[in-house]
Amino acid sequence: MLDRKPQGVLCDISGVLKNSVNGKDEAIEQSIKAFERLQQSGMPYVLCTNESCYSTAEMARKLNRIGFKISPDKIISPVSVVKQIIKENGHRPYILVNEKVVGEFDQFDQSDPDVVVVGDAEDDFTYETMNNTFRLLVGGKRKFYALGKSKYYYDSGKLKLEVGCFISGLEYSSQVKAEVVGKPSKAFFTLAAKRIGVPLGDVVMIGDDVDSDVGGALNAGTQAILVKTGKYRPKDANHPTVKPSFIADNLYHAIDVILQTQ
């Protein structure tokens, strides 16, 4: 059981609610039923994802198509957060992001950029695009926003590189430290807790990534449950520095523990 009763839930999407199999999303066994239990409990929740390949509206549509009932306002992602930052500060962004979310930034003036935004650009991570990004960063005149910094993700039965290695390479060469907009950033977890109106110390994070989900949440001051689905590997249970509050078989088990904790 957990040390204390959570008052709110932050939950990852990929590897917890669903997996991608041969390019198609599939709900993980018992995850729809588990999510319905969470919704019926009345406990505040928000889905916290490092997914930067889709808008929150498209993420909600994709989840609804496979059986979940979720609205875009119940999802917080690096793209939605960085757009808020850009708008509030009047920034002019240079973007290296996935082609599916390029349109999300059309509302901003991108001439003479004063900030650099890098997300999971997938096939658009080429020598040319990385070099162009490096040239804008070197010298330290522009702020650097990273849409997450995860190491890898699970897709179609295989592990794939995430944006983290590209961010680290740019940081190394430009000597400019990125501000991470996403997990494992404390600011991201703080914003997610604020979204549901629950103090950070009273929420619990559920995720399959022992570093970004669990480690990030614990460092931010929350409890954190590691689930044995998605990218989880047996070695994660014995991580040298990250000690989950609880290790659950899947989302159903995690929700069961949360609701039973007194």
Side-chain angles (χ1 to χ4, degrees):
M1 290 296 175
L2 299 170
D3 290 338
R4 57 191 184 278
K5 177 73 172 180
Q7 302 303 311
V9 175
L10 313 181
C11 184
D12 191 19
I13 296 177
S14 294
V16 179
L17 296 182
K18 55 93 174 177
N19 282 325
S20 177
V21 181
N22 297 322
K24 294 184 178 180
D25 288 333
E26 291 186 1
I28 293 173
E29 186 176 0
Q30 293 189 297
S31 63
I32 294 175
K33 186 175 181 180
F35 192 64
E36 289 173 346
R37 287 188 69 199
L38 172 61
Q39 291 175 311
Q40 291 165 4
S41 75
M43 187 175 290
Y45 72 90
V46 67
L47 302 182
C48 301
T49 178
N50 267 1
E51 174 67 75
S52 61
C53 296
Y54 300 98
S55 66
T56 53
E58 180 59 24
M59 286 185 226
R61 282 193 290 269
K62 285 163 65 69
L63 287 170
N64 290 334
R65 280 198 293 267
I66 60 174
F68 295 95
K69 295 180 180 178
I70 185 75
S71 58
D73 65 304
K74 288 293 187 178
I75 303 173
I76 184 170
S77 75
V79 172
S80 63
V81 174
V82 82
K83 284 173 60 182
Q84 180 180 335
I85 292 171
I86 293 169
K87 184 175 182 180
E88 290 177 352
N89 293 278
H91 286 314
R92 301 179 308 278
Y94 168 85
I95 58 170
L96 176 55
V97 296
N98 195 283
E99 62 179 1
K100 293 188 285 290
V101 294
V102 167
E104 292 288 302
F105 297 89
D106 286 348
Q107 61 188 285
F108 304 115
D109 178 6
Q110 297 178 38
S111 63
D112 188 23
D114 64 338
V115 295
V116 171
V117 177
V118 179
D120 189 2
E122 293 186 328
D123 292 342
D124 286 329
F125 279 131
T126 65
Y127 180 80
E128 181 180 3
T129 60
M130 288 288 284
N131 202 39
N132 289 340
T133 307
F134 158 73
R135 287 170 175 164
L136 287 170
L137 288 171
V138 72
K141 293 182 179 180
R142 296 177 177 88
K143 190 148 189 171
F144 183 14
Y145 290 109
L147 305 187
K149 204 176 182 182
S150 298
K151 296 175 181 175
Y152 54 84
Y153 65 101
Y154 185 77
D155 181 66
S156 300
K158 298 178 181 179
L159 296 178
K160 295 187 177 181
L161 283 176
E162 250 275 26
V163 69
C165 63
F166 300 99
I167 298 298
S168 294
L170 288 167
E171 287 180 321
Y172 175 78
S173 295
S174 69
Q175 293 298 289
V176 175
K177 185 73 172 175
E179 179 176 324
V180 179
V181 183
K183 300 172 289 187
S185 165
K186 181 178 180 179
F188 191 74
F189 289 105
T190 301
L191 188 61
K194 185 178 180 180
R195 172 78 68 90
I196 60 175
V198 178
L200 194 57
D202 291 333
V203 302
V204 61
M205 174 70 197
I206 305 171
D208 65 323
D209 187 320
V210 70
D211 293 304
S212 291
D213 294 334
V214 177
L218 292 172
N219 288 336
T222 82
Q223 296 186 94
I225 297 176
L226 176 66
V227 290
K228 297 180 179 179
T229 52
K231 70 173 70 172
Y232 171 84
R233 293 293 177 269
K235 65 180 179 62
D236 295 340
N238 299 303
H239 194 283
T241 58
V242 178
K243 307 301 177 186
S245 307
F246 190 84
I247 299 177
D249 292 334
N250 51 29
L251 180 61
Y252 192 90
H253 187 196
I255 296 301
D256 196 46
V257 167
I258 290 169
L259 297 180
Q260 288 188 32
T261 299
Q262 301 299 316

